[in-house]
Structure formats: structure tokens, C-alpha cells
Amino acid sequence: AQKVTQAQTEISVVEKEDVTLDCVYETRDTTYYLFWYKQPPSGELVFLIRRNSFDEQNEISGRYSWNFQKSTSSFNFTITASQVVDSAVYFCALLGSQGNLIFGKGTKLSVKP
Amino acid sequence: GAGVSQSPSNKVTEKGKDVELRCDPISGHTALYWYRQRLGQGLEFLIYFQGNSAPDKSGLPSDRFSAERTGESVSTLTIQRTQQEDSAVYLCASSLPARADTQYFGPGTRLTVL
């Protein structure tokens, strides 16, 4: 079975704090893709990152970084020095065998000033 | 260029009525996907088209749901005899052939069934 688990339903931090959003996935495929999306209050889905299973290097993009660990089937997302504009629901996803994206239930991040 | 568009953006209907939701993919994107997002939930995959063919319809929640696609263009998701539990945002995405790893999402249609 293919599955994505985001155990954190809601997280609240104060601006400038660092925050890590957890994502654990299950798949029997040896080749797979993982994703993070942001959904701000306006509702649109904003693509953040795609990572394939061949590449275990961690990635940094500005204040965002991703830690991919195949050994623990995790693909965690860290926001450094969070800002109010980071407030959103964040979804982790796995590309399924049909080409569909399998999403976790999302983590709602609230960043307070 | 234009992204994925969906219409209507909002739809309010009465229980028992039929609704049609439309998706216009990016030009050249032969793959098209429908997802549903219930309030406070993640996205749930409904159906996938490659061209106008949908190889697997098992993701559709019930036989009240159907989808079709004209050629490699517009797709319509139809919900017959709507129920309150059908209330959700319906999102459409498209991708190039064999590029399911790069799906572009539309803004969604918010369906409210009273």
C-alpha cells in the first residue's frame, strides 16, 4: 500500500522561530517521487518541492529546507525564521502507481507575530 | 501561458440536483487528474485521464460520480443527485504525457450542497 502520514495536525509558532513539519511515507516502489505543497488561506495549491528517491541530498531554498531519509521513510520540511506569511496548510505527497498524487492530511501552520 | 482553469469557481446547489464541474487543462497536457478536498482534509484522488481514456475509475466515490474528457482537452466531472457529503473543493490538475511527477493544479471549484 502507498500512504503518507503527517502526524502533526496543527502547529503554532511565534514569528522567527524555526519549525519542522514531519512526513512519513509508505511505498513498495524502489523508484518514487515525494512532494511538498503549500495551501494558503486563499486555497490554491502551491508547489514547493519534488524529490525523487535516487537523490537523498538535503535541499535548501532560502528559508526552506528538506530532509529526505530513506532509512526512516521520512521527508521532513523545515522553515527557518518563520514569518506570518508562512501561515498555511502544508501537504506532503507521494506519486502513486497510477500517476495520482497521494496526499497526507496536511499540517496547519500558524505563525503569530 | 495560461494555467489550468476550472469553472465555476463556486457552486451552491440543493441536495438531489445534478452538477457539472469543468476543467480546462494546459494546452498540450494529455494527462488530467481530478481530486477532491473535503473541509480540513487532504486531497483525495478521484480519476485520471490519459487523452480521453480513463483506465481506472475505482477512485470515484460512488456511481453518482462520472467524468468524461473530450479529446485531450476539457474534462467534465458530473455528480448526480448530490448529497451533503459531496460538499468539497474539487481540484483538477494536468501534466505532460508521462510526467505525472509535474502536475499543475487549477484553482478548484468549491461545491456546497445544501
Side-chain angles (χ1 to χ4, degrees):
Chain A
Q2 296 179 303
K3 185 180 175 183
V4 174
T5 301
Q6 294 180 256
Q8 304 150 309
T9 307
E10 291 193 45
I11 300 176
S12 182
V13 299
V14 176
E15 210 169 17
K16 297 185 184 175
E17 283 185 27
D18 298 347
V19 58
T20 295
L21 310 181
D22 297 334
C23 173
V24 173
Y25 62 92
E26 293 177 31
T27 181
R28 292 184 178 175
D29 292 344
T30 53
T31 303
Y32 50 89
Y33 285 91
L34 295 162
F35 304 80
W36 276 95
Y37 286 86
K38 174 181 179 180
Q39 190 175 45
S42 53
E44 78 273 22
L45 267 181
V46 178
F47 168 80
L48 296 178
I49 190 171
R50 176 185 66 231
R51 171 54 51 89
N52 74 50
S53 53
F54 294 132
D55 183 1
E56 289 194 68
Q57 277 198 326
N58 290 331
E59 183 154 340
I60 297 174
S61 176
R63 296 184 297 106
Y64 295 170
S65 62
W66 291 269
N67 183 356
F68 176 34
Q69 300 220 344
K70 287 175 85 168
S71 59
T72 55
S73 297
S74 65
F75 186 41
N76 296 338
F77 172 33
T78 297
I79 302 174
T80 302
S82 58
Q83 300 176 1
V84 172
V85 294
D86 297 327
S87 296
V89 181
Y90 291 86
F91 292 99
C92 180
L94 169 71
L95 189 63
S97 51
Q98 291 183 70
N100 56 302
L101 288 165
I102 299 165
F103 286 84
K105 292 187 185 296
T107 297
K108 182 177 180 180
L109 174 65
S110 299
V111 181
K112 304 198 184 306
Chain B
V4 177
S5 61
Q6 292 185 246
S7 60
S9 54
N10 274 285
K11 176 73 177 177
V12 180
T13 191
E14 292 179 352
K15 180 180 169 181
K17 302 270 182 150
D18 298 351
V19 295
E20 282 190 356
L21 311 180
R22 177 186 168 110
C23 172
D24 279 276
I26 293 171
S27 178
H29 281 196
T30 58
L32 187 148
Y33 313 80
W34 282 98
Y35 296 86
R36 175 171 75 173
Q37 185 177 24
R38 286 175 160 155
L39 186 64
Q41 301 294 314
L43 279 75
E44 171 192 5
F45 171 69
L46 299 179
I47 193 168
Y48 151 68
F49 286 91
Q50 178 54 52
N52 60 7
S53 170
D56 185 349
K57 299 181 181 180
S58 62
L60 294 174
S62 77
D63 58 9
R64 296 185 294 105
F65 285 70
S66 62
E68 61 180 31
R69 189 176 184 195
T70 308
E72 295 180 350
S73 183
V74 171
S75 175
T76 303
L77 178 69
T78 301
I79 310 173
Q80 294 180 310
R81 305 181 303 281
T82 51
Q83 303 293 312
Q84 288 185 332
E85 64 261 27
D86 299 333
S87 295
V89 176
Y90 290 83
L91 288 136
C92 173
S94 70
S95 75
L96 289 167
R99 288 307 310 270
D101 62 306
T102 308
Q103 295 181 25
Y104 295 81
F105 280 85
T109 293
R110 181 176 297 277
L111 174 65
T112 303
V113 182
L114 301 176

